[in-house]
Amino acid sequence: MPSIPRQLWSYRRERPVFVLVSVATIVTLLCWLLVEHHLRQGGIGLTYTFNDFSAYTGALNGWLENGQMYVEQPDGGYFGEYLYPPVSVLVFYPFETTGFDVGAMLFGFTSIVLLWLGLDAVARTLGYQLRLWERLGLLVAIFSFQPAIRNFRWAQTATFLTAFLCFAFYFQERAESMASPYSDSEVSERTRSLFRYASGAATTIGSSFKLFYATSGAHLLRDRKRLAGAIGAGIVLLVASLGIFGLETNLTYIDVLTWGKGWGESRALYLWDTAAAYRPMHVFGGFGLYLKILGILGVIGLTLATRAEESVAARRLTFALGIAVIPLFAPKADSHDLIVMVLPAVILLAHELDRPDGHAWVPVLSVLLLHLHRYALELLTKPEGNFPGAATLYDVGAFLQPGMWGTFLLVGLVGYRVAEHATVPDLRAALGSDG
Protein backbone atom coordinates (compact mmCIF):
# COMPACT_ATOMS: atom_id res chain seq x y z
CA MET A 1 0.00 0.00 0.00
CA PRO A 2 1.37 3.47 -0.87
CA SER A 3 2.54 5.78 1.90
CA ILE A 4 0.29 8.59 3.12
CA PRO A 5 2.08 11.29 1.06
CA ARG A 6 1.84 9.15 -2.08
CA GLN A 7 -1.83 8.48 -1.48
CA LEU A 8 -2.50 12.19 -1.03
CA TRP A 9 -0.64 12.88 -4.27
CA SER A 10 -2.79 10.30 -6.07
CA TYR A 11 -5.94 12.07 -4.84
CA ARG A 12 -4.83 15.55 -5.98
CA ARG A 13 -7.18 15.66 -8.99
CA GLU A 14 -9.94 13.36 -7.79
CA ARG A 15 -10.30 14.92 -4.31
CA PRO A 16 -8.48 18.27 -4.24
CA VAL A 17 -10.36 19.63 -1.19
CA PHE A 18 -9.48 16.53 0.80
CA VAL A 19 -5.82 16.86 -0.16
CA LEU A 20 -5.64 20.56 0.76
CA VAL A 21 -7.36 20.05 4.12
CA SER A 22 -5.22 17.00 4.88
CA VAL A 23 -1.95 18.75 4.09
CA ALA A 24 -2.96 21.76 6.19
CA THR A 25 -3.91 19.50 9.12
CA ILE A 26 -0.81 17.31 8.94
CA VAL A 27 1.58 20.27 8.67
CA THR A 28 -0.21 22.08 11.50
CA LEU A 29 -0.01 19.12 13.88
CA LEU A 30 3.56 18.16 13.04
CA CYS A 31 4.77 21.72 13.61
CA TRP A 32 2.49 22.71 16.47
CA LEU A 33 4.79 21.95 19.39
CA LEU A 34 7.04 24.75 18.21
CA VAL A 35 4.04 27.07 17.82
CA GLU A 36 2.79 26.06 21.26
CA HIS A 37 6.18 26.91 22.76
CA HIS A 38 5.96 30.47 21.44
CA LEU A 39 2.31 30.77 22.50
CA ARG A 40 3.30 29.83 26.04
CA GLN A 41 5.89 32.59 26.03
CA GLY A 42 3.12 34.96 24.96
CA GLY A 43 0.86 33.84 27.79
CA ILE A 44 -1.57 31.92 25.56
CA GLY A 45 -0.23 28.37 25.66
CA LEU A 46 -1.00 26.01 28.53
CA THR A 47 1.41 25.64 31.44
CA TYR A 48 2.44 22.38 33.11
CA THR A 49 0.31 22.57 36.23
CA PHE A 50 -0.79 18.92 36.55
CA ASN A 51 -3.77 20.26 38.50
CA ASP A 52 -5.91 17.15 38.28
CA PHE A 53 -3.13 14.87 39.44
CA SER A 54 -3.29 16.56 42.84
CA ALA A 55 -6.96 15.50 43.06
CA TYR A 56 -6.02 11.90 42.23
CA THR A 57 -3.17 11.70 44.72
CA GLY A 58 -5.19 13.57 47.34
CA ALA A 59 -8.02 11.04 47.06
CA LEU A 60 -5.61 8.11 47.15
CA ASN A 61 -3.69 9.40 50.16
CA GLY A 62 -6.89 10.42 51.93
CA TRP A 63 -8.25 6.91 51.60
CA LEU A 64 -4.97 5.29 52.67
CA GLU A 65 -4.64 7.55 55.71
CA ASN A 66 -8.17 7.90 57.03
CA GLY A 67 -10.47 6.10 54.62
CA GLN A 68 -11.89 9.36 53.23
CA MET A 69 -11.68 9.76 49.45
CA TYR A 70 -14.28 12.45 48.69
CA VAL A 71 -14.00 15.71 50.65
CA GLU A 72 -16.96 18.05 50.54
CA GLN A 73 -16.09 21.75 50.29
CA PRO A 74 -17.52 24.34 52.69
CA ASP A 75 -19.94 25.50 49.98
CA GLY A 76 -21.37 22.00 49.76
CA GLY A 77 -19.75 21.00 46.46
CA TYR A 78 -16.76 18.93 45.41
CA PHE A 79 -15.04 21.40 43.11
CA GLY A 80 -11.33 20.62 42.81
CA GLU A 81 -11.76 17.23 44.47
CA TYR A 82 -11.68 13.70 43.09
CA LEU A 83 -14.76 13.13 40.93
CA TYR A 84 -14.26 9.60 39.56
CA PRO A 85 -15.60 6.26 40.87
CA PRO A 86 -13.65 4.90 43.86
CA VAL A 87 -12.12 1.89 42.08
CA SER A 88 -10.55 4.11 39.41
CA VAL A 89 -8.16 5.62 41.94
CA LEU A 90 -6.14 2.38 41.85
CA VAL A 91 -4.89 3.33 38.38
CA PHE A 92 -2.95 6.23 39.87
CA TYR A 93 -1.24 4.31 42.67
CA PRO A 94 1.89 3.27 40.71
CA PHE A 95 2.31 6.83 39.43
CA GLU A 96 1.80 8.43 42.84
CA THR A 97 4.66 6.42 44.32
CA THR A 98 7.17 8.18 42.02
CA GLY A 99 6.41 11.68 43.30
CA PHE A 100 4.06 14.38 42.11
CA ASP A 101 5.76 15.86 39.02
CA VAL A 102 7.36 12.63 37.86
CA GLY A 103 4.16 10.67 38.47
CA ALA A 104 2.02 13.17 36.58
CA MET A 105 4.40 13.15 33.62
CA LEU A 106 4.60 9.36 33.61
CA PHE A 107 0.82 9.13 33.61
CA GLY A 108 0.66 11.59 30.72
CA PHE A 109 3.29 9.73 28.70
CA THR A 110 1.61 6.40 29.41
CA SER A 111 -1.71 7.77 28.16
CA ILE A 112 -0.13 9.16 24.99
CA VAL A 113 1.68 5.90 24.22
CA LEU A 114 -1.46 3.82 24.82
CA LEU A 115 -3.45 6.05 22.47
CA TRP A 116 -0.65 5.84 19.92
CA LEU A 117 -0.67 2.04 20.06
CA GLY A 118 -4.47 2.04 19.95
CA LEU A 119 -4.69 4.22 16.85
CA ASP A 120 -2.01 2.16 15.13
CA ALA A 121 -4.08 -0.96 15.85
CA VAL A 122 -7.22 0.78 14.55
CA ALA A 123 -5.43 1.73 11.33
CA ARG A 124 -4.32 -1.87 10.89
CA THR A 125 -7.88 -3.20 11.24
CA LEU A 126 -9.04 -0.60 8.72
CA GLY A 127 -6.59 -1.98 6.19
CA TYR A 128 -3.61 0.36 6.49
CA GLN A 129 -0.33 -0.71 8.04
CA LEU A 130 1.69 2.32 9.06
CA ARG A 131 5.37 2.44 8.22
CA LEU A 132 7.86 3.15 10.99
CA TRP A 133 8.27 6.82 10.06
CA GLU A 134 4.49 7.19 9.76
CA ARG A 135 4.11 5.77 13.27
CA LEU A 136 6.61 8.31 14.56
CA GLY A 137 4.70 11.06 12.76
CA LEU A 138 1.47 9.82 14.34
CA LEU A 139 3.07 10.01 17.79
CA VAL A 140 4.14 13.61 17.19
CA ALA A 141 0.70 14.51 15.84
CA ILE A 142 -1.03 13.03 18.88
CA PHE A 143 1.25 14.85 21.28
CA SER A 144 0.71 18.11 19.36
CA PHE A 145 -3.09 17.82 19.21
CA GLN A 146 -4.43 20.51 21.55
CA PRO A 147 -6.83 18.29 23.54
CA ALA A 148 -3.90 15.91 24.12
CA ILE A 149 -1.74 18.83 25.22
CA ARG A 150 -4.44 19.85 27.67
CA ASN A 151 -4.74 16.29 28.98
CA PHE A 152 -0.98 15.96 29.43
CA ARG A 153 -0.35 19.30 31.11
CA TRP A 154 -3.29 18.98 33.49
CA ALA A 155 -2.85 15.21 33.98
CA GLN A 156 -6.39 14.64 32.71
CA THR A 157 -7.67 11.13 31.94
CA ALA A 158 -9.45 11.57 28.58
CA THR A 159 -6.42 10.43 26.53
CA PHE A 160 -6.10 7.33 28.71
CA LEU A 161 -9.78 6.49 28.26
CA THR A 162 -9.71 7.10 24.50
CA ALA A 163 -6.93 4.55 24.19
CA PHE A 164 -9.19 1.85 25.65
CA LEU A 165 -11.97 2.83 23.26
CA CYS A 166 -9.49 2.37 20.40
CA PHE A 167 -8.73 -1.12 21.69
CA ALA A 168 -12.47 -1.78 21.96
CA PHE A 169 -12.81 -1.03 18.23
CA TYR A 170 -9.74 -3.12 17.45
CA PHE A 171 -11.16 -6.13 19.31
CA GLN A 172 -14.53 -5.65 17.62
CA GLU A 173 -12.94 -5.80 14.18
CA ARG A 174 -10.68 -8.72 15.07
CA ALA A 175 -13.77 -10.65 16.14
CA GLU A 176 -15.31 -10.17 12.70
CA SER A 177 -12.30 -11.32 10.71
CA MET A 178 -11.43 -14.94 9.98
CA ALA A 179 -7.87 -13.96 9.06
CA SER A 180 -5.23 -12.54 11.37
CA PRO A 181 -3.65 -9.22 10.30
CA TYR A 182 -0.32 -10.46 11.70
CA SER A 183 -0.06 -13.86 9.99
CA ASP A 184 -1.65 -16.08 7.35
CA SER A 185 -3.29 -18.33 9.92
CA GLU A 186 -7.05 -18.56 10.40
CA VAL A 187 -8.58 -17.26 13.62
CA SER A 188 -10.73 -19.80 15.49
CA GLU A 189 -14.33 -19.12 16.46
CA ARG A 190 -13.39 -19.38 20.14
CA THR A 191 -10.72 -16.69 19.74
CA ARG A 192 -13.16 -14.48 17.89
CA SER A 193 -15.65 -14.86 20.73
CA LEU A 194 -12.96 -13.80 23.19
CA PHE A 195 -12.34 -10.72 21.06
CA ARG A 196 -16.05 -9.86 21.31
CA TYR A 197 -15.97 -10.11 25.09
CA ALA A 198 -12.74 -8.08 25.15
CA SER A 199 -14.32 -5.35 23.02
CA GLY A 200 -17.16 -4.98 25.50
CA ALA A 201 -14.81 -5.02 28.49
CA ALA A 202 -12.55 -2.36 26.94
CA THR A 203 -15.62 -0.20 26.29
CA THR A 204 -16.57 -0.40 29.97
CA ILE A 205 -13.05 0.52 31.05
CA GLY A 206 -13.02 3.40 28.56
CA SER A 207 -16.16 4.86 30.12
CA SER A 208 -15.64 3.85 33.75
CA PHE A 209 -13.97 7.09 34.88
CA LYS A 210 -16.38 9.50 33.21
CA LEU A 211 -19.87 8.09 33.14
CA PHE A 212 -21.00 10.48 30.40
CA TYR A 213 -18.78 8.43 28.07
CA ALA A 214 -21.55 5.81 28.26
CA THR A 215 -22.73 6.55 24.69
CA SER A 216 -19.54 4.78 23.60
CA GLY A 217 -21.49 1.60 24.31
CA ALA A 218 -23.86 2.09 21.37
CA HIS A 219 -22.12 -0.71 19.47
CA LEU A 220 -22.89 -3.10 22.34
CA LEU A 221 -26.53 -3.15 21.24
CA ARG A 222 -25.47 -4.91 18.04
CA ASP A 223 -23.79 -7.93 19.63
CA ARG A 224 -24.73 -9.99 22.70
CA LYS A 225 -21.20 -11.12 23.46
CA ARG A 226 -19.83 -7.59 23.37
CA LEU A 227 -22.68 -6.54 25.65
CA ALA A 228 -21.94 -9.46 27.97
CA GLY A 229 -18.27 -8.48 28.08
CA ALA A 230 -19.20 -4.92 29.01
CA ILE A 231 -21.61 -6.02 31.73
CA GLY A 232 -19.11 -8.54 33.07
CA ALA A 233 -16.38 -5.91 33.30
CA GLY A 234 -18.81 -3.55 35.01
CA ILE A 235 -19.70 -6.19 37.61
CA VAL A 236 -16.02 -6.89 38.27
CA LEU A 237 -15.32 -3.17 38.79
CA LEU A 238 -18.35 -2.78 41.07
CA VAL A 239 -17.44 -5.79 43.22
CA ALA A 240 -13.83 -4.60 43.43
CA SER A 241 -14.98 -1.11 44.40
CA LEU A 242 -17.27 -2.40 47.15
CA GLY A 243 -14.76 -4.96 48.37
CA ILE A 244 -11.80 -2.59 48.54
CA PHE A 245 -13.38 0.75 49.44
CA GLY A 246 -16.55 -0.27 51.23
CA LEU A 247 -20.18 0.72 50.90
CA GLU A 248 -19.88 4.17 52.52
CA THR A 249 -17.27 5.47 50.06
CA ASN A 250 -19.32 4.22 47.11
CA LEU A 251 -22.47 5.88 48.46
CA THR A 252 -20.52 9.13 48.85
CA TYR A 253 -19.64 8.91 45.18
CA ILE A 254 -23.37 9.03 44.43
CA ASP A 255 -23.43 12.38 46.26
CA VAL A 256 -20.61 13.54 43.99
CA LEU A 257 -22.67 12.59 40.94
CA THR A 258 -25.77 14.39 42.18
CA TRP A 259 -23.66 17.49 42.85
CA GLY A 260 -23.07 17.57 39.11
CA LYS A 261 -20.05 19.90 38.70
CA GLY A 262 -22.19 22.75 37.47
CA TRP A 263 -24.14 20.70 34.91
CA GLY A 264 -26.65 22.81 33.07
CA GLU A 265 -25.06 26.16 33.92
CA SER A 266 -24.82 28.80 31.23
CA ARG A 267 -22.23 31.54 31.68
CA ALA A 268 -21.44 34.62 29.65
CA LEU A 269 -18.51 34.18 27.27
CA TYR A 270 -16.19 36.48 29.21
CA LEU A 271 -16.52 34.13 32.21
CA TRP A 272 -15.46 31.05 30.23
CA ASP A 273 -12.22 29.35 31.18
CA THR A 274 -10.58 29.44 27.76
CA ALA A 275 -8.14 26.71 28.76
CA ALA A 276 -11.00 24.24 29.07
CA ALA A 277 -14.26 25.66 27.73
CA TYR A 278 -16.21 23.72 25.12
CA ARG A 279 -19.88 24.72 24.96
CA PRO A 280 -21.48 23.43 21.72
CA MET A 281 -25.04 23.81 23.05
CA HIS A 282 -24.56 27.32 24.43
CA VAL A 283 -26.16 28.82 21.33
CA PHE A 284 -29.40 26.94 22.02
CA GLY A 285 -29.84 28.39 25.49
CA GLY A 286 -32.29 26.54 27.72
CA PHE A 287 -33.18 24.11 24.92
CA GLY A 288 -29.68 22.64 24.98
CA LEU A 289 -30.46 20.06 27.68
CA TYR A 290 -33.55 18.81 25.82
CA LEU A 291 -31.56 18.57 22.60
CA LYS A 292 -28.97 16.43 24.37
CA ILE A 293 -31.66 14.07 25.67
CA LEU A 294 -33.22 13.83 22.21
CA GLY A 295 -29.78 13.28 20.71
CA ILE A 296 -29.03 10.37 23.03
CA LEU A 297 -32.40 8.82 22.25
CA GLY A 298 -31.65 9.34 18.57
CA VAL A 299 -28.34 7.45 18.87
CA ILE A 300 -30.11 4.57 20.59
CA GLY A 301 -32.82 4.58 17.92
CA LEU A 302 -30.34 4.60 15.04
CA THR A 303 -28.32 1.81 16.62
CA LEU A 304 -31.38 -0.38 17.03
CA ALA A 305 -32.59 0.47 13.52
CA THR A 306 -29.28 -0.75 12.05
CA ARG A 307 -28.94 -3.79 14.30
CA ALA A 308 -30.12 -6.16 11.58
CA GLU A 309 -27.67 -4.68 9.05
CA GLU A 310 -24.60 -6.92 9.10
CA SER A 311 -22.43 -4.89 6.73
CA VAL A 312 -18.94 -3.80 7.72
CA ALA A 313 -19.89 -0.16 7.22
CA ALA A 314 -22.90 -0.34 9.56
CA ARG A 315 -20.84 -2.03 12.27
CA ARG A 316 -17.98 0.45 12.11
CA LEU A 317 -20.09 3.56 11.73
CA THR A 318 -22.33 2.64 14.67
CA PHE A 319 -19.23 2.35 16.82
CA ALA A 320 -17.99 5.72 15.54
CA LEU A 321 -21.33 7.42 16.23
CA GLY A 322 -21.40 6.31 19.87
CA ILE A 323 -17.95 7.83 20.43
CA ALA A 324 -18.47 10.98 18.38
CA VAL A 325 -21.47 12.18 20.40
CA ILE A 326 -19.71 11.94 23.78
CA PRO A 327 -18.64 15.60 24.03
CA LEU A 328 -21.78 16.90 22.30
CA PHE A 329 -24.37 15.20 24.52
CA ALA A 330 -22.42 15.15 27.79
CA PRO A 331 -23.95 17.11 30.70
CA LYS A 332 -20.73 19.10 30.68
CA ALA A 333 -17.61 18.32 28.66
CA ASP A 334 -14.42 20.33 28.45
CA SER A 335 -11.98 20.78 25.59
CA HIS A 336 -9.72 17.95 26.79
CA ASP A 337 -12.61 15.52 26.19
CA LEU A 338 -12.39 16.32 22.47
CA ILE A 339 -9.52 13.84 22.25
CA VAL A 340 -12.13 11.08 21.90
CA MET A 341 -13.15 12.53 18.54
CA VAL A 342 -9.92 11.31 16.95
CA LEU A 343 -11.16 7.70 16.90
CA PRO A 344 -14.48 8.30 15.07
CA ALA A 345 -12.67 10.70 12.74
CA VAL A 346 -10.26 7.93 11.68
CA ILE A 347 -13.10 5.40 11.26
CA LEU A 348 -15.18 7.85 9.24
CA LEU A 349 -12.18 8.85 7.12
CA ALA A 350 -11.59 5.24 6.10
CA HIS A 351 -15.26 4.85 5.21
CA GLU A 352 -15.43 8.04 3.16
CA LEU A 353 -12.28 7.15 1.23
CA ASP A 354 -13.90 3.86 0.25
CA ARG A 355 -16.91 5.67 -1.24
CA PRO A 356 -16.68 7.24 -4.68
CA ASP A 357 -19.05 9.95 -3.44
CA GLY A 358 -17.42 10.19 0.00
CA HIS A 359 -16.64 13.43 1.82
CA ALA A 360 -13.26 12.45 3.25
CA TRP A 361 -12.38 16.08 3.94
CA VAL A 362 -15.05 16.33 6.65
CA PRO A 363 -13.39 14.21 9.38
CA VAL A 364 -10.01 15.75 8.62
CA LEU A 365 -11.36 19.29 8.83
CA SER A 366 -13.15 18.35 12.05
CA VAL A 367 -9.85 17.33 13.64
CA LEU A 368 -8.26 20.62 12.59
CA LEU A 369 -11.16 22.64 14.02
CA LEU A 370 -11.04 20.71 17.29
CA HIS A 371 -7.33 21.41 17.52
CA LEU A 372 -7.76 25.15 16.97
CA HIS A 373 -10.76 25.49 19.31
CA ARG A 374 -8.96 26.46 22.50
CA TYR A 375 -6.81 29.07 20.78
CA ALA A 376 -9.75 30.66 18.96
CA LEU A 377 -11.54 31.12 22.30
CA GLU A 378 -8.77 33.49 23.33
CA LEU A 379 -10.06 35.85 20.61
CA LEU A 380 -13.78 35.13 20.89
CA THR A 381 -14.22 35.68 24.63
CA LYS A 382 -12.47 39.05 25.08
CA PRO A 383 -14.99 41.89 24.50
CA GLU A 384 -12.32 44.43 25.43
CA GLY A 385 -9.45 42.78 23.61
CA ASN A 386 -6.62 44.92 22.29
CA PHE A 387 -7.24 44.04 18.66
CA PRO A 388 -9.63 45.40 16.00
CA GLY A 389 -13.09 43.86 15.96
CA ALA A 390 -12.84 42.34 19.46
CA ALA A 391 -16.32 43.50 20.46
CA THR A 392 -17.87 42.19 17.22
CA LEU A 393 -16.18 38.83 17.61
CA TYR A 394 -17.43 38.61 21.18
CA ASP A 395 -21.02 39.23 20.09
CA VAL A 396 -20.94 36.24 17.75
CA GLY A 397 -18.30 34.24 19.62
CA ALA A 398 -20.65 31.46 20.74
CA PHE A 399 -21.51 30.79 17.08
CA LEU A 400 -17.87 30.73 15.96
CA GLN A 401 -16.50 28.06 18.30
CA PRO A 402 -14.29 25.88 16.07
CA GLY A 403 -14.84 22.88 18.33
CA MET A 404 -18.59 23.25 18.00
CA TRP A 405 -18.46 23.21 14.20
CA GLY A 406 -15.92 20.39 14.18
CA THR A 407 -18.29 18.35 16.32
CA PHE A 408 -21.35 19.21 14.22
CA LEU A 409 -19.54 18.21 11.03
CA LEU A 410 -18.29 14.90 12.37
CA VAL A 411 -21.45 13.88 14.23
CA GLY A 412 -23.65 15.05 11.36
CA LEU A 413 -21.87 13.03 8.70
CA VAL A 414 -21.41 9.87 10.74
CA GLY A 415 -25.03 10.06 11.88
CA TYR A 416 -26.17 10.42 8.28
CA ARG A 417 -24.05 7.44 7.22
CA VAL A 418 -25.52 5.30 10.00
CA ALA A 419 -29.03 6.37 8.99
CA GLU A 420 -28.32 5.12 5.46
CA HIS A 421 -28.18 1.61 6.89
CA ALA A 422 -31.25 1.97 9.13
CA THR A 423 -34.47 0.11 8.46
CA VAL A 424 -37.81 1.15 9.87
CA PRO A 425 -39.74 -1.84 11.25
CA ASP A 426 -43.03 -2.71 9.55
CA LEU A 427 -45.47 -1.99 12.37
CA ARG A 428 -48.44 -3.39 10.48
CA ALA A 429 -46.66 -6.69 10.03
CA ALA A 430 -45.54 -6.69 13.65
CA LEU A 431 -49.13 -6.11 14.83
CA GLY A 432 -50.60 -8.60 12.40
CA SER A 433 -52.70 -5.95 10.67
CA ASP A 434 -54.15 -6.50 7.22
CA GLY A 435 -53.97 -2.80 6.51
Side-chain angles (χ1 to χ4, degrees):
M1 179 174 287
S3 65
I4 292 176
R6 288 184 179 276
Q7 284 190 318
L8 288 176
W9 180 255
S10 68
Y11 286 134
R12 68 189 186 280
R13 292 188 177 88
E14 179 184 351
R15 302 184 179 193
V17 176
F18 166 66
V19 173
L20 288 174
V21 174
S22 297
V23 171
T25 302
I26 292 171
V27 171
T28 298
L29 291 178
L30 292 181
C31 300
W32 196 260
L33 287 179
L34 180 61
V35 176
E36 174 70 17
H37 173 72
H38 290 290
L39 289 175
R40 281 186 61 206
Q41 292 182 330
I44 297 178
L46 294 174
T47 57
Y48 292 87
T49 60
F50 304 129
N51 282 26
D52 290 347
F53 198 71
S54 63
Y56 312 152
T57 56
L60 181 60
N61 292 329
W63 177 72
L64 290 174
E65 294 171 3
N66 54 39
Q68 188 174 14
M69 182 178 297
Y70 302 105
V71 180
E72 189 173 2
Q73 297 297 309
D75 62 358
Y78 293 89
F79 186 81
E81 299 296 329
Y82 192 67
L83 304 177
Y84 299 148
V87 70
S88 62
V89 79
L90 298 176
V91 171
F92 306 106
Y93 179 76
F95 302 103
E96 191 275 339
T97 58
T98 62
F100 185 83
D101 288 337
V102 174
M105 293 187 71
L106 283 176
F107 175 70
F109 280 122
T110 300
S111 301
I112 291 288
V113 170
L114 285 175
L115 179 57
W116 177 48
L117 295 174
L119 286 175
D120 181 54
V122 167
R124 187 184 293 268
T125 61
L126 292 174
Y128 188 85
Q129 186 170 347
L130 295 171
R131 294 160 175 79
L132 176 60
W133 60 270
E134 290 174 322
R135 289 193 181 101
L136 294 176
L138 175 63
L139 180 60
V140 173
I142 293 172
F143 205 91
S144 302
F145 188 46
Q146 198 283 322
I149 293 174
R150 159 80 175 173
N151 278 285
F152 184 86
R153 295 183 181 178
W154 277 57
Q156 247 291 332
T157 60
T159 301
F160 182 78
L161 301 179
T162 303
F164 279 94
L165 296 177
C166 287
F167 291 122
F169 179 79
Y170 169 76
F171 291 136
Q172 171 188 275
E173 295 305 299
R174 286 297 308 273
E176 301 298 331
S177 176
M178 294 291 293
S180 170
Y182 304 100
S183 65
D184 296 330
S185 60
E186 184 174 309
V187 181
S188 67
E189 182 60 34
R190 181 176 180 275
T191 301
R192 292 170 62 199
S193 292
L194 291 175
F195 280 135
R196 288 188 174 93
Y197 291 126
S199 177
T203 302
T204 294
I205 296 173
S207 57
S208 59
F209 285 57
K210 305 186 178 198
L211 301 189
F212 63 83
Y213 279 37
T215 57
S216 63
H219 71 100
L220 302 175
L221 299 177
R222 292 179 53 86
D223 187 277
R224 291 181 179 179
K225 290 183 179 179
R226 292 204 299 267
L227 180 60
I231 294 174
I235 292 174
V236 170
L237 291 176
L238 178 59
V239 171
S241 186
L242 289 171
I244 297 173
F245 300 100
L247 180 61
E248 183 178 352
T249 299
N250 283 272
L251 290 177
T252 304
Y253 175 63
I254 297 178
D255 291 336
V256 175
L257 288 178
T258 56
W259 169 63
K261 196 183 176 182
W263 293 351
E265 288 183 356
S266 181
R267 295 185 175 185
L269 267 67
Y270 69 89
L271 294 175
W272 287 10
D273 176 9
T274 56
Y278 165 74
R279 304 291 179 263
M281 294 296 189
H282 182 84
V283 297
F284 298 104
F287 294 102
L289 176 61
Y290 303 104
L291 290 175
K292 291 180 180 182
I293 295 173
L294 289 174
I296 293 173
L297 294 176
V299 171
I300 296 173
L302 277 175
T303 301
L304 293 176
T306 59
R307 194 173 187 274
E309 174 60 62
E310 297 181 357
S311 67
V312 173
R315 182 181 72 241
R316 292 176 175 176
L317 291 170
T318 300
F319 191 104
L321 178 61
I323 307 296
V325 299
I326 288 174
L328 182 60
F329 297 149
K332 182 181 180 182
D334 288 323
S335 60
H336 51 254
D337 292 304
L338 296 176
I339 189 72
V340 301
M341 303 292 277
V342 173
L343 175 55
V346 171
I347 298 171
L348 183 60
L349 173 61
H351 176 76
E352 295 300 307
L353 286 175
D354 286 340
R355 295 177 60 116
D357 61 340
H359 303 290
W361 60 272
V362 170
V364 181
L365 178 60
S366 295
V367 170
L368 181 60
L369 291 173
L370 297 173
H371 170 72
L372 297 174
H373 173 78
R374 177 258 186 271
Y375 306 102
L377 288 188
E378 291 286 345
L379 301 176
L380 299 175
T381 59
K382 302 291 190 298
E384 298 177 358
N386 57 353
F387 55 90
T392 302
L393 278 178
Y394 178 82
D395 291 338
V396 296
F399 297 90
L400 297 180
Q401 298 176 73
M404 178 185 74
W405 288 108
T407 303
F408 287 170
L409 282 171
L410 190 62
V411 172
L413 183 56
V414 73
Y416 179 77
R417 294 304 189 209
V418 172
E420 288 181 330
H421 297 276
T423 55
V424 179
D426 189 338
L427 296 179
R428 290 187 302 175
L431 296 174
S433 171
D434 293 329

